[in-house]
Amino acid sequence: MPKSFNQKMRLLALIDIFNEFTDENHGLSLEQIQQKLSEKEIKADRKTLYVDFDNLEDYGLDIVKGNEGRTTIYSLASRPFELAELKLLVDSVQSAKFISEHKSQALIKKLSSPAMVSKYQADGLKRQVFMSGRVKSMNESILLSIDKIHEAIKSGKQIYFQYFQWNAKKQVELKHNGEPYYVSPWALIWDNENYYLVAFDSGAQKVKHYRVDKMKNMRIVDKIQEGLEQKRNFNVAEYSQAAFGMYGGERVSVTLEADKNLVGVIIDRFGKDVSIYERSNNKVEAWVEIMLSPQFLGWVTGFGSGMRIVKPQKAVDAMKDLIQELSSMYDK
């Protein structure tokens, strides 16, 4: 077997050894490295290993030399991701509602592989994030759907898909009698732990949004996107901010009156650019753009007497109607 081939195999084996068995807190002596190479039926003397270490450093591996007592040890000091960053990624994957349990485990296994962490650090990634009241998605194809949507947006193509909902028997029911939706995808929005597709519906001549985890059998259609004139004047951030829980409705400019201690809540919901006026009675007024929906009204009522809608009258009347409807329900 050619000498150059053996050298390449030895270098690859060394990379695997450094990845799996060393990190900033764990190293290997030359003898231990030789032993692990021997287990792979590869021989190397000390002088050869010194040259190999230099070659690996030239290649970009951060190999450092240290001491444990009188023994010199070698280790891989840094990786593409720090351990704290990987822990954050693992927690995010585990707690993300739109990723199924099966896919979560597969992703975490990849994040815990020797290419990412040593075997010692991998134990620290076996974490359990408790999700209060949250259920993992059962749609295994959601990551592929997201990828296709990005591809369609980039290429300026349309997509089609079937859209479903759950019935009382916990069975999937296709909407529109299973007929596919044809839309021009514009953007993806992450809201309330779900992915939503914002797209132009040519038939309705309007912008709509769809939960990605409720899409099935998505395909990219070889048709140019439509609604490009509307897209030029479309602001994704404003759309996301106005749609409470991504429920649609009539777009309305609303004036809110709230206790001064709720300023942080308003800024959290509408951003720092929201117009807020401080009044003398320990109250503030805020002017916001929203889609008038039961979800928005429910958000306001959640603060009790601490927040109310001042105008326009249609929004005030909608709130009165909701309160009256709820009151009549509980009076029965």
Side-chain angles (χ1 to χ4, degrees):
M1 191 173 294
K3 181 178 180 181
S4 60
F5 179 80
N6 289 330
Q7 182 182 17
K8 291 176 183 178
M9 292 301 294
R10 189 174 65 249
L11 289 172
L12 292 173
L14 283 171
I15 291 173
D16 289 343
I17 290 168
F18 275 113
N19 276 332
E20 184 173 0
F21 298 102
T22 75
D23 53 47
E24 58 265 31
N25 297 314
H26 301 87
L28 295 172
S29 67
L30 282 177
E31 289 76 11
Q32 290 172 321
I33 293 173
Q34 288 174 315
Q35 175 60 37
K36 293 194 177 297
L37 285 173
S38 178
E39 293 169 4
K40 298 176 182 287
E41 298 184 352
I42 298 174
K43 294 182 179 180
D45 57 32
R46 300 173 72 91
K47 184 178 179 180
T48 299
L49 287 178
Y50 293 145
V51 174
D52 286 343
F53 294 166
D54 289 339
N55 288 334
L56 291 176
E57 287 188 70
D58 290 340
Y59 182 68
L61 269 68
D62 186 14
I63 297 174
V64 297
K65 182 169 66 172
N67 293 293
E68 283 186 358
R70 295 183 177 181
T71 303
T72 301
I73 61 170
Y74 300 83
S75 61
L76 187 61
S78 62
R79 299 168 188 266
F81 290 95
E82 296 179 6
L83 184 59
E85 294 172 332
L86 285 171
K87 288 180 179 179
L88 176 63
L89 291 174
V90 167
D91 288 352
S92 299
V93 168
Q94 203 162 36
S95 61
K97 193 168 72 172
F98 76 93
I99 306 177
S100 70
E101 186 65 35
H102 179 265
K103 180 58 68 175
S104 291
Q105 294 304 316
L107 288 171
I108 291 170
K109 185 177 181 180
K110 291 178 181 179
L111 289 171
S112 305
S113 68
M116 305 297 287
V117 291
S118 71
K119 70 171 188 175
Y120 311 105
Q121 294 171 326
D123 290 336
L125 295 180
K126 295 176 181 177
R127 300 155 70 83
Q128 179 64 50
V129 178
F130 292 95
M131 301 173 290
S132 177
R134 286 178 283 179
V135 179
K136 281 285 201 177
S137 168
M138 288 177 277
N139 187 346
E140 289 287 343
S141 64
I142 185 169
L143 296 183
L144 293 176
S145 296
I146 291 170
D147 188 55
K148 287 179 182 177
I149 290 171
H150 280 300
E151 183 181 344
I153 292 172
K154 183 179 179 181
S155 61
K157 301 291 185 178
Q158 296 184 35
I159 62 171
Y160 82 78
F161 55 89
Q162 292 174 301
Y163 205 51
F164 70 83
Q165 61 187 0
W166 296 98
N167 63 22
K169 296 179 180 179
K170 295 182 280 187
Q171 298 170 330
V172 169
E173 284 185 351
L174 292 176
K175 303 185 76 172
H176 283 187
N177 295 318
E179 290 296 315
Y181 291 64
Y182 288 83
V183 301
S184 300
W186 286 0
L188 283 166
I189 292 177
W190 173 254
D191 185 86
N192 195 28
E193 301 186 69
N194 287 303
Y195 261 120
Y196 292 85
L197 165 67
V198 178
F200 183 76
D201 185 317
S202 301
Q205 285 293 297
K206 64 185 293 187
V207 179
K208 296 183 179 181
H209 57 262
Y210 308 87
R211 277 252 311 255
V212 177
D213 61 312
K214 293 186 180 296
M215 297 176 178
K216 293 185 67 175
N217 303 318
M218 183 186 296
R219 297 288 187 275
I220 297 176
V221 182
D222 192 20
K223 291 183 179 180
I224 301 299
Q225 287 190 7
E226 299 177 347
L228 296 181
E229 186 62 37
Q230 293 90 329
K231 187 177 182 180
R232 292 188 186 96
N233 302 315
F234 183 75
N235 188 303
V236 177
E238 288 181 2
Y239 182 90
S240 174
Q241 209 169 64
F244 271 71
M246 295 308 293
Y247 283 85
E250 181 185 356
R251 195 176 182 92
V252 179
S253 296
V254 170
T255 301
L256 298 173
E257 181 187 81
D259 292 344
K260 193 181 294 185
N261 63 359
L262 293 178
V263 167
V265 173
I266 295 172
I267 291 175
D268 286 344
R269 184 62 187 81
F270 297 101
K272 290 185 68 176
D273 292 335
V274 64
S275 297
I276 298 178
Y277 172 72
E278 187 172 358
R279 297 175 55 179
S280 57
N281 58 351
N282 209 34
K283 298 281 187 178
V284 297
E285 280 193 356
W287 294 268
V288 298
E289 289 278 337
I290 57 94
M291 291 182 185
L292 189 56
S293 65
Q295 287 66 36
F296 166 69
L297 301 176
W299 179 78
V300 175
T301 58
F303 300 104
S305 60
M307 184 182 294
R308 73 184 183 96
I309 300 173
V310 178
K311 59 184 179 181
Q313 191 59 43
K314 68 170 65 176
V316 175
D317 291 341
M319 177 63 83
K320 289 179 178 179
D321 291 343
L322 176 63
I323 293 173
Q324 185 175 356
E325 181 182 348
L326 292 174
S327 179
S328 63
M329 283 177 59
Y330 287 100
D331 285 343
K332 294 179 181 179

